[in-house]
Amino acid sequence: MRAESGSEPHYVDERSGATYPIDDPRWCGDDGAPLTVSALPGITREQVDTGARSLWRYRAALPVRIDAPVSLGEGCTPLVEKSWGEDRILFKLEWFSPTGSFKDRGTSVMISLLAQRGVREVIEDSSGNGGASVSAYCAAAGIRARILTPATTSPAKVLQSRAYGAEVQLVPGDRGATAAEALRQSAHTYYASHNWHPFFLQGTKTLAYELWEDLSFTAPDAVVTVAGAGSTVLGCDLGFSELLTAGQIARRPRLLVAQPAHCAPLHAAFRAGTETPVPSLHAPTIAEGTAIREPVRFPEVLRAIRRSDGDMAAIPEDAIATAVRRLAAIGLYAEPTSATAAAAIEVFRARGAIRPGETTVVLLTGSGLKATPTMTELFAPEGDER
Amino acid sequence: MRAESGSEPHYVDERSGATYPIDDPRWCGDDGAPLTVSALPGITREQVDTGARSLWRYRAALPVRIDAPVSLGEGCTPLVEKSWGEDRILFKLEWFSPTGSFKDRGTSVMISLLAQRGVREVIEDSSGNGGASVSAYCAAAGIRARILTPATTSPAKVLQSRAYGAEVQLVPGDRGATAAEALRQSAHTYYASHNWHPFFLQGTKTLAYELWEDLSFTAPDAVVTVAGAGSTVLGCDLGFSELLTAGQIARRPRLLVAQPAHCAPLHAAFRAGTETPVPSLHAPTIAEGTAIREPVRFPEVLRAIRRSDGDMAAIPEDAIATAVRRLAAIGLYAEPTSATAAAAIEVFRARGAIRPGETTVVLLTGSGLKATPTMTELFAPEGDER
């Protein structure tokens, strides 16, 4: 569903076609479906604010004018070229970010909007990076944050959120129970959810604009990323779509998307040729950030991959562990979740989805410093007496 | 001791006046004193390679041409303005770096030189960030690294070095014993020491060039930093000195330098008006990265502070802890070592060393993600049953 050319930006429920004013303080449709912002015209290179060393250099691409961005230096991350087997790969190091995870792009834009709208208190549900990111930007904005997290979450994982001053509420049951409790509480407290809020994706789309600028205002041929909820997939789809609309790039990069085989619901549906969940394995994975059974924007993620002529891969645990070690061995200390994308390079190469001589970007979304217990297991010296 | 104008860059032992060719594979003088590079002319804004998103945009300022930089995206860190009491402060967020610490600036340049010279194996001694940084760049360069660390160092602190593939050698005794063992081993293995190698400071000096560019090619009025060995002090002194020589800035920023009161040997000598150590307290501090009893470049650090019309402060433990919490409460998750600089703002403000209306930059050198055990103690919820 595309908005009429020339119309003002508004929210769209792409499933029902319903539209809502963008000034509504809503984060979902009346029937509880996720929303996007109506199609935007994109920006040209002349509209990049080159004086800003953050994603706010692309603020002209946002649907709403933000007068006072809540910024902690997010964006403008390095793009580093490395050998990877026979290939030369460009690794986009998204852990160069305020809280150590790519989520800060989405959070900065989402919280900036909410601060501008006068929101004073929010809730978010997360078992890790999303909660830390929302907590950081709420601290910067002077907004009270409550982070809902499964009661089983280790204290170390919520330390960062607590440090930023967020109230952490432990919810009995699994990750789904936490999300359900957040939905319940959203009746009386604003739900600043990185999975739900349309402006989170508006922030994430700056990843596409930034790659375009990194590559001298061209698009890469392919972008490899890992999907849990799929926000990097959707962000890239949004940003590159706008750049196409604006006539700034010639074609959409292929979105090549990995999931851990232990939790690959999107991959299962992709392979089955559907847009709805099919039965698939759900087992613990070291790629914790992707252990999401029911992504909120399930069909939208699949549509984005297909429209880009992309592909998906399911990566076994041992291949993820190998990729973490292989990245560290060339100087890149990535958490297992993001290393899943690096593990997928060979799969996609073998299938011809990554091609020699083309420009391939692999997104590394989070720092290994955020996953110390798992990294400790992966790098324990042989015969260690721990 | 300044080199003759127009002479080729060479190494100088500023204590004895001895000089050595810069192509020597040495890291100290014949009598074991630390070396610097002879005074360089600096660069102009036209010489900044604006296409490089790393400190290598200032490569024209280096004394030796480096053909193939070993780069992992270091430098180009954010400069974020925040309210701090009555003041507006610019925080330079150096934890946006490959290993999470500012040390990557120095390491990138040092290891690039060593790789170019054909060095295949190095040693370094460190109990933390320095070792992780050298390990990362050695991994990227294909150089074998051995990190010497006190046997008492917690396994979590050496995890990152191990992950990058470095051999970690535990040395009985204190930090001094480890340094002594490294010196002993340097007879047969190249000593790539962040405290000793003159090119480490050549990398650190890019901090000054970057602040100059961040501030539209002007110098700040004051830079506040924490000193252990003092490499940020010496790096700023070097970079700003070169910018003065090149006529790019009008005056040297005042270097305002904090140490934890529990380990403040530089501060004690500064107050005593000497350049040599005087008796001072040595007790455990949460600012672990600064717990250095005998900085290698002791007189040089003091001279740099004095020549800038700078000042020093000794910060009590509780004030460091308060600064960590206060930074986190505005969205900045800094490790206690770097928060010591923030804690010093009020001291310097009260003394008139930080003045209203001037441009003050505070360096935050490392991420809180690097100090999880200490951060856990600082942010433990009240009544927590841990």
Side-chain angles (χ1 to χ4, degrees):
Chain A
M1 161 133 299
R2 300 251 137 187
E4 298 78 6
S5 163
S7 71
E8 288 300 303
H10 49 272
Y11 289 132
V12 182
D13 173 346
E14 295 188 10
R15 299 176 189 178
S16 70
T19 64
Y20 305 94
I22 206 155
D23 292 334
D24 268 19
R26 62 172 59 240
W27 51 267
C28 71
D30 285 343
D31 63 353
L35 300 179
T36 52
V37 175
S38 54
L40 297 171
I43 60 172
T44 64
R45 71 179 79 177
E46 290 74 24
Q47 290 174 276
V48 175
D49 176 4
T50 54
R53 199 232 73 101
S54 73
L55 61 77
W56 292 92
R57 61 201 281 117
Y58 312 110
R59 64 198 288 181
L62 297 177
V64 167
R65 183 186 150 134
I66 304 283
D67 292 316
V70 181
S71 178
L72 294 167
E74 57 293 321
C76 296
T77 62
L79 186 67
V80 174
E81 192 178 56
K82 289 281 175 187
S83 289
W84 191 266
E86 301 161 55
D87 300 298
R88 297 294 291 174
I89 297 289
L90 293 164
F91 289 98
K92 184 71 169 166
L93 307 184
E94 285 289 289
W95 73 71
F96 287 59
S97 64
T99 74
S101 137
F102 83 100
K103 289 209 163 71
D104 295 332
R105 288 186 188 267
T107 309
S108 177
V109 171
M110 174 176 72
I111 296 297
S112 293
L113 178 85
L114 299 183
Q116 178 161 302
R117 298 257 165 94
V119 172
R120 305 303 308 146
E121 184 177 4
V122 303
I123 52 168
E124 146 85 326
D125 59 302
S126 160
S127 61
N129 294 343
S133 184
V134 168
S135 301
Y137 283 86
C138 282
I143 292 175
R144 288 182 54 190
R146 190 184 325 130
I147 308 299
L148 278 62
T149 192
T152 51
T153 306
S154 74
K157 283 201 88 170
V158 296
L159 165 64
Q160 203 180 355
S161 297
R162 277 210 168 103
Y164 290 121
E167 176 197 343
V168 177
Q169 182 183 339
L170 303 176
V171 180
D174 65 5
R175 182 70 183 78
T178 299
E181 174 61 16
L183 282 172
R184 201 188 62 74
Q185 293 192 19
S186 73
H188 47 90
T189 308
Y190 195 92
Y191 191 26
S193 166
H194 66 281
N195 287 324
W196 279 94
H197 203 290
F199 271 69
F200 188 88
L201 295 179
Q202 291 293 314
T204 311
K205 82 179 181 188
T206 61
L207 199 37
Y209 279 100
E210 200 170 298
L211 287 172
W212 164 68
E213 190 178 3
D214 287 341
L215 298 169
S216 305
F217 302 102
T218 63
D221 295 295
V223 175
V224 186
T225 187
V226 64
S231 60
T232 57
V233 177
L234 293 167
C236 285
D237 177 61
L238 254 182
F240 288 122
S241 293
E242 292 177 10
L243 285 164
L244 264 179
T245 304
Q248 299 297 304
I249 60 174
R251 68 191 180 299
R252 235 178 251 283
R254 296 188 301 281
L255 300 177
L256 306 177
V257 182
Q259 292 203 293
H262 278 195
C263 185
L266 291 161
H267 173 264
F270 185 84
R271 284 270 159 244
T274 76
E275 285 189 354
T276 48
V278 298
S280 67
L281 180 64
H282 185 72
T285 170
I286 58 170
E288 287 183 351
T290 47
I292 295 170
R293 234 166 156 156
E294 294 169 33
V296 168
R297 299 171 189 271
F298 199 94
E300 288 80 4
V301 175
L302 290 165
R303 237 173 275 152
I305 299 169
R306 290 186 175 124
R307 134 169 92 224
S308 77
D309 193 26
D311 197 4
M312 290 200 72
I315 311 295
E317 292 294 295
D318 59 349
I320 299 171
T322 300
V324 173
R325 292 196 189 94
R326 211 171 144 189
L327 286 167
I330 56 172
L332 303 175
Y333 196 65
E335 66 176 352
T337 299
S338 40
T340 309
I345 296 172
E346 272 153 12
V347 179
F348 291 127
R349 177 75 147 85
R351 289 186 198 161
I354 290 177
R355 297 162 201 163
E358 287 193 346
T359 303
T360 302
V361 171
V362 175
L363 305 179
L364 296 181
T365 49
S367 166
L369 295 173
K370 300 209 75 168
T372 296
T374 313
M375 297 303 265
T376 302
E377 282 173 36
L378 287 173
F379 293 103
E382 282 175 47
D384 187 14
E385 71 288 356
R386 281 169 319 116
Chain B
M1 161 132 298
R2 300 252 138 187
E4 299 76 8
S5 165
S7 71
E8 288 299 304
H10 49 274
Y11 289 133
V12 182
D13 173 346
E14 295 188 9
R15 299 176 190 180
S16 70
T19 64
Y20 305 94
I22 206 156
D23 292 334
D24 268 19
R26 63 171 59 241
W27 53 265
C28 71
D30 285 343
D31 63 354
L35 300 179
T36 52
V37 175
S38 54
L40 297 171
I43 59 172
T44 64
R45 70 179 80 177
E46 290 74 26
Q47 290 173 277
V48 176
D49 176 3
T50 53
R53 199 232 73 99
S54 74
L55 62 77
W56 292 92
R57 62 201 281 119
Y58 311 110
R59 64 199 288 180
L62 298 177
V64 166
R65 181 185 150 137
I66 303 284
D67 292 316
V70 181
S71 177
L72 293 167
E74 58 292 322
C76 297
T77 61
L79 185 67
V80 174
E81 193 178 56
K82 290 280 174 187
S83 288
W84 191 267
E86 301 161 55
D87 300 298
R88 297 294 292 173
I89 297 289
L90 293 163
F91 289 99
K92 184 71 170 167
L93 306 184
E94 286 289 290
W95 72 72
F96 286 60
S97 64
T99 74
S101 135
F102 83 100
K103 290 209 162 69
D104 295 333
R105 287 185 188 266
T107 309
S108 177
V109 170
M110 174 177 71
I111 297 296
S112 293
L113 179 84
L114 299 183
Q116 178 162 299
R117 298 256 166 96
V119 171
R120 307 301 308 143
E121 184 176 3
V122 303
I123 52 168
E124 147 86 325
D125 59 301
S126 160
S127 61
N129 293 343
S133 184
V134 169
S135 302
Y137 283 86
C138 283
I143 292 174
R144 288 182 56 189
R146 191 184 324 130
I147 309 299
L148 279 63
T149 192
T152 51
T153 307
S154 73
K157 282 201 90 170
V158 295
L159 165 65
Q160 202 180 355
S161 296
R162 277 213 168 99
Y164 290 122
E167 176 197 342
V168 177
Q169 183 183 337
L170 302 176
V171 180
D174 66 4
R175 182 70 183 79
T178 299
E181 173 62 15
L183 282 171
R184 202 188 61 75
Q185 293 193 19
S186 72
H188 46 90
T189 308
Y190 195 92
Y191 191 26
S193 167
H194 67 281
N195 287 325
W196 280 94
H197 203 290
F199 272 69
F200 188 87
L201 295 178
Q202 291 292 314
T204 311
K205 82 179 181 188
T206 61
L207 199 37
Y209 280 99
E210 200 171 297
L211 287 172
W212 164 67
E213 190 178 4
D214 287 342
L215 297 170
S216 305
F217 303 102
T218 63
D221 296 294
V223 175
V224 186
T225 187
V226 64
S231 60
T232 56
V233 178
L234 293 166
C236 286
D237 176 61
L238 254 182
F240 288 123
S241 293
E242 292 177 10
L243 285 165
L244 264 180
T245 304
Q248 298 298 304
I249 60 174
R251 69 192 178 298
R252 236 178 251 284
R254 296 188 301 281
L255 300 177
L256 306 178
V257 182
Q259 292 204 293
H262 278 196
C263 185
L266 291 161
H267 173 263
F270 185 85
R271 285 270 159 243
T274 76
E275 285 190 353
T276 47
V278 298
S280 67
L281 180 64
H282 185 71
T285 169
I286 57 170
E288 286 183 351
T290 47
I292 295 169
R293 233 165 155 156
E294 295 169 33
V296 168
R297 298 172 189 272
F298 198 94
E300 289 80 5
V301 175
L302 290 165
R303 237 173 276 151
I305 299 168
R306 289 186 176 125
R307 135 169 91 227
S308 77
D309 193 25
D311 197 3
M312 291 200 73
I315 311 295
E317 293 293 294
D318 59 349
I320 299 172
T322 300
V324 173
R325 293 197 188 93
R326 211 171 144 189
L327 286 167
I330 57 171
L332 303 176
Y333 196 65
E335 64 176 355
T337 300
S338 40
T340 308
I345 296 171
E346 272 155 11
V347 179
F348 291 128
R349 176 74 147 86
R351 289 188 199 159
I354 290 177
R355 297 163 201 163
E358 287 193 347
T359 302
T360 302
V361 171
V362 174
L363 305 179
L364 296 180
T365 50
S367 165
L369 295 173
K370 301 209 76 170
T372 296
T374 313
M375 297 303 265
T376 302
E377 281 173 37
L378 287 173
F379 293 104
E382 281 174 48
D384 187 14
E385 72 286 0
R386 279 170 320 114

